[in-house]
Amino acid sequence: MKEVSNEILKLLGEKYNEPFWAFFKNLDSKNTSVDGECIDCFALSIGLNKNFRIHSFNIQTNRLIWLEELKKIKNNKNISSSDYKWLVCSPNVIKKDEIPPLYGFQVVENNVSHTIIQPSYLNSTHINKDILAVLVRRFIEDKNYLLLNEYNK
């Protein structure tokens, strides 16, 4: 089973934060396998000065698991379920020459995210309804949790 680094998730959440972004993590993994790869989190650009864009992130912390996922990604020709696809990893997990075409690549080291390759804009023409349902459900759960905490103060 793939482990996702909480440190990397936290760092991405801080980078893609409100009010200009909606960031979704800790998603239901069986519903967030998109185009043959596991999506660990999403960021939606929602700011007034930004176009609505979906960024999906595949976080890798283990080289062996990455090599297995790479096979799935290479066999899948459809990568248009989000506007930007990112691979994010700890040092020495993914080699730069292994990055599939059109993907972005970030390496997290010492609590800093370094963008190595910018992703290409994929101009997604469809939104996966299962993914959208997971995102909306997660958004409502997060907001309800915040409201409940505020109420209980």
Side-chain angles (χ1 to χ4, degrees), residues 79-123:
I79 65 166
S80 63
S81 61
S82 57
D83 297 304
Y84 297 97
K85 292 233 180 193
W86 289 94
L87 293 169
V88 184
C89 71
S90 307
N92 304 315
V93 173
I94 300 175
K95 296 177 183 173
K96 187 176 176 182
D97 63 347
E98 295 171 337
I99 304 301
L102 308 177
Y103 280 67
F105 179 42
Q106 296 179 42
V107 176
V108 174
E109 188 169 20
N110 298 325
N111 240 4
V112 177
S113 173
H114 304 280
T115 299
I116 310 301
I117 299 173
Q118 288 288 341
S120 296
Y121 177 57
L122 301 173
N123 195 18

Short mmCIF file of all heavy atoms in Angstrom, two decimals, residues 79-123:
data_model
loop_
_atom_site.label_atom_id
_atom_site.label_comp_id
_atom_site.label_asym_id
_atom_site.label_seq_id
_atom_site.Cartn_x
_atom_site.Cartn_y
_atom_site.Cartn_z
N ILE A 79 -4.66 11.44 -20.26
CA ILE A 79 -4.24 12.14 -19.05
C ILE A 79 -4.97 13.47 -18.90
O ILE A 79 -4.50 14.38 -18.27
CB ILE A 79 -2.71 12.37 -19.00
CG1 ILE A 79 -2.26 13.31 -20.10
CG2 ILE A 79 -1.96 11.08 -19.04
CD1 ILE A 79 -0.86 13.83 -19.89
N SER A 80 -6.16 13.56 -19.47
CA SER A 80 -6.84 14.85 -19.52
C SER A 80 -7.89 15.07 -18.44
O SER A 80 -8.73 15.93 -18.58
CB SER A 80 -7.48 15.04 -20.90
OG SER A 80 -8.47 14.06 -21.09
N SER A 81 -7.87 14.31 -17.36
CA SER A 81 -8.90 14.48 -16.33
C SER A 81 -8.64 15.68 -15.44
O SER A 81 -9.49 16.08 -14.67
CB SER A 81 -9.01 13.22 -15.47
OG SER A 81 -7.78 13.00 -14.82
N SER A 82 -7.46 16.27 -15.52
CA SER A 82 -7.19 17.52 -14.81
C SER A 82 -6.41 18.42 -15.76
O SER A 82 -5.90 17.98 -16.79
CB SER A 82 -6.41 17.27 -13.50
OG SER A 82 -5.21 16.59 -13.76
N ASP A 83 -6.34 19.69 -15.41
CA ASP A 83 -5.66 20.65 -16.29
C ASP A 83 -4.14 20.59 -16.16
O ASP A 83 -3.42 20.89 -17.11
CB ASP A 83 -6.16 22.07 -16.00
CG ASP A 83 -7.64 22.20 -16.30
OD1 ASP A 83 -8.03 21.89 -17.44
OD2 ASP A 83 -8.39 22.60 -15.40
N TYR A 84 -3.68 20.25 -14.97
CA TYR A 84 -2.25 20.12 -14.73
C TYR A 84 -2.01 18.89 -13.88
O TYR A 84 -2.72 18.66 -12.91
CB TYR A 84 -1.69 21.34 -13.98
CG TYR A 84 -1.82 22.63 -14.75
CD1 TYR A 84 -2.88 23.49 -14.52
CD2 TYR A 84 -0.87 22.98 -15.71
CE1 TYR A 84 -3.00 24.68 -15.22
CE2 TYR A 84 -0.99 24.16 -16.42
CZ TYR A 84 -2.06 25.01 -16.18
OH TYR A 84 -2.17 26.18 -16.88
N LYS A 85 -1.02 18.09 -14.25
CA LYS A 85 -0.65 16.90 -13.47
C LYS A 85 0.74 17.11 -12.90
O LYS A 85 1.67 17.51 -13.60
CB LYS A 85 -0.64 15.67 -14.36
CG LYS A 85 -2.02 15.30 -14.84
CD LYS A 85 -2.27 13.88 -14.52
CE LYS A 85 -3.66 13.51 -15.00
NZ LYS A 85 -4.08 12.27 -14.47
N TRP A 86 0.86 16.84 -11.61
CA TRP A 86 2.14 17.00 -10.91
C TRP A 86 2.57 15.68 -10.28
O TRP A 86 1.75 14.97 -9.71
CB TRP A 86 1.99 18.01 -9.76
CG TRP A 86 1.82 19.42 -10.18
CD1 TRP A 86 0.64 20.09 -10.36
CD2 TRP A 86 2.86 20.36 -10.43
NE1 TRP A 86 0.90 21.39 -10.71
CE2 TRP A 86 2.25 21.60 -10.76
CE3 TRP A 86 4.26 20.29 -10.41
CZ2 TRP A 86 2.98 22.74 -11.06
CZ3 TRP A 86 4.98 21.43 -10.71
CH2 TRP A 86 4.34 22.64 -11.04
N LEU A 87 3.85 15.40 -10.36
CA LEU A 87 4.49 14.36 -9.56
C LEU A 87 5.30 15.08 -8.51
O LEU A 87 6.07 15.99 -8.82
CB LEU A 87 5.39 13.49 -10.43
CG LEU A 87 4.66 12.64 -11.48
CD1 LEU A 87 5.66 12.04 -12.45
CD2 LEU A 87 3.85 11.56 -10.80
N VAL A 88 5.10 14.70 -7.26
CA VAL A 88 5.80 15.34 -6.14
C VAL A 88 6.47 14.23 -5.35
O VAL A 88 5.83 13.22 -5.03
CB VAL A 88 4.82 16.13 -5.23
CG1 VAL A 88 5.57 16.86 -4.14
CG2 VAL A 88 3.98 17.10 -6.06
N CYS A 89 7.74 14.42 -5.03
CA CYS A 89 8.44 13.33 -4.34
C CYS A 89 9.48 13.85 -3.36
O CYS A 89 9.87 15.01 -3.39
CB CYS A 89 9.10 12.40 -5.34
SG CYS A 89 10.53 13.08 -6.18
N SER A 90 9.91 12.93 -2.52
CA SER A 90 11.08 13.14 -1.67
C SER A 90 12.31 13.00 -2.57
O SER A 90 12.23 12.43 -3.66
CB SER A 90 11.13 12.07 -0.58
OG SER A 90 9.92 12.03 0.12
N PRO A 91 13.47 13.47 -2.12
CA PRO A 91 14.68 13.33 -2.94
C PRO A 91 14.99 11.87 -3.28
O PRO A 91 14.72 10.96 -2.49
CB PRO A 91 15.79 13.91 -2.04
CG PRO A 91 15.08 14.82 -1.11
CD PRO A 91 13.73 14.19 -0.88
N ASN A 92 15.50 11.67 -4.48
CA ASN A 92 15.99 10.37 -4.95
C ASN A 92 14.91 9.30 -5.15
O ASN A 92 15.22 8.12 -5.21
CB ASN A 92 17.08 9.82 -4.03
CG ASN A 92 18.22 10.79 -3.89
OD1 ASN A 92 18.69 11.36 -4.87
ND2 ASN A 92 18.66 11.01 -2.66
N VAL A 93 13.66 9.71 -5.24
CA VAL A 93 12.59 8.73 -5.50
C VAL A 93 12.31 8.65 -7.00
O VAL A 93 12.19 7.56 -7.56
CB VAL A 93 11.30 9.09 -4.72
CG1 VAL A 93 10.16 8.17 -5.11
CG2 VAL A 93 11.56 9.03 -3.23
N ILE A 94 12.22 9.80 -7.64
CA ILE A 94 11.95 9.86 -9.08
C ILE A 94 13.13 10.55 -9.75
O ILE A 94 13.61 11.58 -9.27
CB ILE A 94 10.66 10.66 -9.37
CG1 ILE A 94 9.45 10.01 -8.70
CG2 ILE A 94 10.43 10.79 -10.87
CD1 ILE A 94 8.16 10.80 -8.85
N LYS A 95 13.56 9.99 -10.87
CA LYS A 95 14.62 10.62 -11.66
C LYS A 95 13.97 11.52 -12.70
O LYS A 95 12.90 11.20 -13.24
CB LYS A 95 15.47 9.55 -12.35
CG LYS A 95 16.22 8.67 -11.37
CD LYS A 95 16.98 7.58 -12.09
CE LYS A 95 17.67 6.67 -11.08
NZ LYS A 95 18.28 5.52 -11.72
N LYS A 96 14.63 12.63 -12.97
CA LYS A 96 14.07 13.63 -13.89
C LYS A 96 13.71 13.02 -15.26
O LYS A 96 12.69 13.36 -15.84
CB LYS A 96 15.06 14.78 -14.06
CG LYS A 96 14.52 15.93 -14.85
CD LYS A 96 15.52 17.08 -14.90
CE LYS A 96 15.01 18.20 -15.77
NZ LYS A 96 15.97 19.30 -15.87
N ASP A 97 14.53 12.10 -15.74
CA ASP A 97 14.27 11.52 -17.06
C ASP A 97 13.12 10.50 -17.05
O ASP A 97 12.72 9.99 -18.10
CB ASP A 97 15.53 10.90 -17.65
CG ASP A 97 16.08 9.73 -16.85
OD1 ASP A 97 15.64 9.53 -15.70
OD2 ASP A 97 16.97 9.03 -17.37
N GLU A 98 12.54 10.21 -15.89
CA GLU A 98 11.39 9.31 -15.79
C GLU A 98 10.05 10.05 -15.85
O GLU A 98 9.00 9.41 -15.90
CB GLU A 98 11.45 8.52 -14.47
CG GLU A 98 12.63 7.59 -14.37
CD GLU A 98 12.79 6.98 -12.99
OE1 GLU A 98 12.30 7.57 -11.99
OE2 GLU A 98 13.42 5.92 -12.90
N ILE A 99 10.10 11.36 -15.83
CA ILE A 99 8.86 12.14 -15.82
C ILE A 99 8.15 12.00 -17.16
O ILE A 99 8.73 12.29 -18.21
CB ILE A 99 9.14 13.63 -15.52
CG1 ILE A 99 9.92 13.78 -14.22
CG2 ILE A 99 7.85 14.44 -15.50
CD1 ILE A 99 9.23 13.22 -13.01
N PRO A 100 6.89 11.54 -17.15
CA PRO A 100 6.15 11.42 -18.41
C PRO A 100 5.95 12.80 -19.06
O PRO A 100 5.91 13.82 -18.37
CB PRO A 100 4.80 10.84 -17.97
CG PRO A 100 5.04 10.24 -16.64
CD PRO A 100 6.12 11.06 -16.00
N PRO A 101 5.82 12.82 -20.37
CA PRO A 101 5.55 14.09 -21.06
C PRO A 101 4.31 14.77 -20.49
O PRO A 101 3.36 14.10 -20.08
CB PRO A 101 5.32 13.68 -22.51
CG PRO A 101 5.93 12.33 -22.64
CD PRO A 101 5.84 11.69 -21.28
N LEU A 102 4.33 16.06 -20.42
CA LEU A 102 3.24 16.93 -19.99
C LEU A 102 3.10 17.06 -18.48
O LEU A 102 2.38 17.91 -17.99
CB LEU A 102 1.89 16.50 -20.59
CG LEU A 102 1.85 16.32 -22.12
CD1 LEU A 102 0.48 15.83 -22.54
CD2 LEU A 102 2.20 17.62 -22.83
N TYR A 103 3.75 16.21 -17.71
CA TYR A 103 3.67 16.27 -16.25
C TYR A 103 4.62 17.32 -15.69
O TYR A 103 5.70 17.53 -16.22
CB TYR A 103 4.04 14.92 -15.63
CG TYR A 103 2.95 13.89 -15.65
CD1 TYR A 103 2.50 13.36 -16.85
CD2 TYR A 103 2.39 13.44 -14.47
CE1 TYR A 103 1.51 12.39 -16.87
CE2 TYR A 103 1.41 12.46 -14.48
CZ TYR A 103 0.97 11.95 -15.69
OH TYR A 103 -0.02 10.99 -15.70
N GLY A 104 4.22 17.90 -14.55
CA GLY A 104 5.12 18.74 -13.78
C GLY A 104 5.82 17.88 -12.73
O GLY A 104 5.36 16.78 -12.42
N PHE A 105 6.91 18.42 -12.19
CA PHE A 105 7.71 17.64 -11.25
C PHE A 105 8.23 18.55 -10.16
O PHE A 105 8.84 19.58 -10.43
CB PHE A 105 8.87 16.99 -12.02
CG PHE A 105 9.81 16.15 -11.19
CD1 PHE A 105 9.34 15.29 -10.21
CD2 PHE A 105 11.17 16.23 -11.41
CE1 PHE A 105 10.23 14.50 -9.47
CE2 PHE A 105 12.06 15.45 -10.68
CZ PHE A 105 11.59 14.59 -9.70
N GLN A 106 7.93 18.18 -8.90
CA GLN A 106 8.42 18.91 -7.73
C GLN A 106 9.14 17.93 -6.80
O GLN A 106 8.69 16.81 -6.61
CB GLN A 106 7.27 19.54 -6.95
CG GLN A 106 6.50 20.61 -7.70
CD GLN A 106 5.37 21.17 -6.86
OE1 GLN A 106 5.53 21.43 -5.68
NE2 GLN A 106 4.22 21.37 -7.49
N VAL A 107 10.24 18.40 -6.24
CA VAL A 107 10.97 17.62 -5.23
C VAL A 107 10.91 18.41 -3.93
O VAL A 107 11.18 19.61 -3.90
CB VAL A 107 12.44 17.39 -5.65
CG1 VAL A 107 13.20 16.67 -4.55
CG2 VAL A 107 12.50 16.58 -6.94
N VAL A 108 10.53 17.73 -2.85
CA VAL A 108 10.44 18.36 -1.53
C VAL A 108 11.65 17.94 -0.70
O VAL A 108 11.87 16.75 -0.49
CB VAL A 108 9.13 17.98 -0.81
CG1 VAL A 108 9.11 18.53 0.60
CG2 VAL A 108 7.94 18.47 -1.61
N GLU A 109 12.40 18.94 -0.29
CA GLU A 109 13.59 18.68 0.52
C GLU A 109 13.71 19.77 1.58
O GLU A 109 13.55 20.95 1.28
CB GLU A 109 14.83 18.66 -0.37
CG GLU A 109 16.08 18.20 0.32
CD GLU A 109 17.22 17.95 -0.66
OE1 GLU A 109 17.19 18.47 -1.79
OE2 GLU A 109 18.14 17.23 -0.26
N ASN A 110 13.94 19.37 2.83
CA ASN A 110 14.06 20.31 3.95
C ASN A 110 12.86 21.24 4.05
O ASN A 110 12.99 22.45 4.22
CB ASN A 110 15.36 21.12 3.85
CG ASN A 110 16.58 20.23 3.91
OD1 ASN A 110 16.59 19.23 4.62
ND2 ASN A 110 17.59 20.59 3.15
N ASN A 111 11.67 20.66 3.87
CA ASN A 111 10.41 21.41 3.99
C ASN A 111 10.24 22.51 2.94
O ASN A 111 9.52 23.47 3.16
CB ASN A 111 10.26 22.00 5.39
CG ASN A 111 9.02 21.50 6.08
OD1 ASN A 111 8.30 20.65 5.55
ND2 ASN A 111 8.77 22.01 7.26
N VAL A 112 10.91 22.37 1.81
CA VAL A 112 10.79 23.32 0.70
C VAL A 112 10.49 22.54 -0.57
O VAL A 112 11.13 21.53 -0.85
CB VAL A 112 12.08 24.15 0.53
CG1 VAL A 112 11.96 25.09 -0.66
CG2 VAL A 112 12.39 24.93 1.79
N SER A 113 9.52 23.02 -1.34
CA SER A 113 9.17 22.39 -2.60
C SER A 113 9.93 23.08 -3.73
O SER A 113 9.85 24.30 -3.88
CB SER A 113 7.66 22.52 -2.84
OG SER A 113 7.33 22.06 -4.12
N HIS A 114 10.66 22.30 -4.50
CA HIS A 114 11.43 22.82 -5.63
C HIS A 114 10.77 22.34 -6.92
O HIS A 114 10.67 21.12 -7.14
CB HIS A 114 12.88 22.34 -5.58
CG HIS A 114 13.58 22.67 -4.30
ND1 HIS A 114 14.11 23.92 -4.05
CD2 HIS A 114 13.80 21.93 -3.19
CE1 HIS A 114 14.66 23.92 -2.85
NE2 HIS A 114 14.47 22.73 -2.29
N THR A 115 10.32 23.27 -7.76
CA THR A 115 9.75 22.89 -9.04
C THR A 115 10.89 22.63 -10.02
O THR A 115 11.68 23.52 -10.32
CB THR A 115 8.81 23.98 -9.58
OG1 THR A 115 7.74 24.16 -8.65
CG2 THR A 115 8.25 23.61 -10.93
N ILE A 116 10.95 21.41 -10.50
CA ILE A 116 12.00 20.99 -11.44
C ILE A 116 11.49 21.13 -12.88
O ILE A 116 12.20 21.60 -13.76
CB ILE A 116 12.44 19.54 -11.18
CG1 ILE A 116 12.78 19.31 -9.70
CG2 ILE A 116 13.59 19.14 -12.08
CD1 ILE A 116 13.87 20.19 -9.14
N ILE A 117 10.24 20.73 -13.10
CA ILE A 117 9.62 20.81 -14.43
C ILE A 117 8.22 21.39 -14.26
O ILE A 117 7.45 20.91 -13.43
CB ILE A 117 9.51 19.41 -15.09
CG1 ILE A 117 10.90 18.80 -15.28
CG2 ILE A 117 8.78 19.50 -16.42
CD1 ILE A 117 10.85 17.35 -15.76
N GLN A 118 7.88 22.40 -15.04
CA GLN A 118 6.52 22.95 -15.06
C GLN A 118 5.62 22.03 -15.89
O GLN A 118 6.04 21.54 -16.94
CB GLN A 118 6.50 24.35 -15.68
CG GLN A 118 7.11 25.42 -14.81
CD GLN A 118 6.23 25.77 -13.62
OE1 GLN A 118 5.04 25.49 -13.58
NE2 GLN A 118 6.85 26.39 -12.63
N PRO A 119 4.39 21.80 -15.45
CA PRO A 119 3.50 20.94 -16.24
C PRO A 119 2.96 21.70 -17.45
O PRO A 119 2.90 22.93 -17.45
CB PRO A 119 2.37 20.61 -15.26
CG PRO A 119 2.31 21.80 -14.37
CD PRO A 119 3.74 22.27 -14.23
N SER A 120 2.58 20.95 -18.45
CA SER A 120 1.90 21.54 -19.60
C SER A 120 0.42 21.66 -19.29
O SER A 120 -0.14 20.84 -18.57
CB SER A 120 2.09 20.67 -20.84
OG SER A 120 3.45 20.60 -21.19
N TYR A 121 -0.21 22.66 -19.87
CA TYR A 121 -1.66 22.83 -19.71
C TYR A 121 -2.35 21.79 -20.58
O TYR A 121 -2.12 21.73 -21.79
CB TYR A 121 -2.07 24.24 -20.09
CG TYR A 121 -3.55 24.49 -20.02
CD1 TYR A 121 -4.25 24.27 -18.85
CD2 TYR A 121 -4.25 24.92 -21.14
CE1 TYR A 121 -5.62 24.49 -18.77
CE2 TYR A 121 -5.61 25.15 -21.08
CZ TYR A 121 -6.29 24.93 -19.90
OH TYR A 121 -7.64 25.15 -19.83
N LEU A 122 -3.19 20.96 -19.97
CA LEU A 122 -3.82 19.85 -20.67
C LEU A 122 -5.19 20.20 -21.24
O LEU A 122 -5.75 19.44 -22.00
CB LEU A 122 -3.94 18.64 -19.74
CG LEU A 122 -2.61 18.12 -19.19
CD1 LEU A 122 -2.85 17.04 -18.16
CD2 LEU A 122 -1.73 17.62 -20.32
N ASN A 123 -5.76 21.35 -20.82
CA ASN A 123 -7.06 21.79 -21.30
C ASN A 123 -8.09 20.68 -21.19
O ASN A 123 -8.69 20.26 -22.16
CB ASN A 123 -6.96 22.29 -22.75
CG ASN A 123 -8.19 23.08 -23.15
OD1 ASN A 123 -8.95 23.53 -22.30
ND2 ASN A 123 -8.39 23.24 -24.44
#
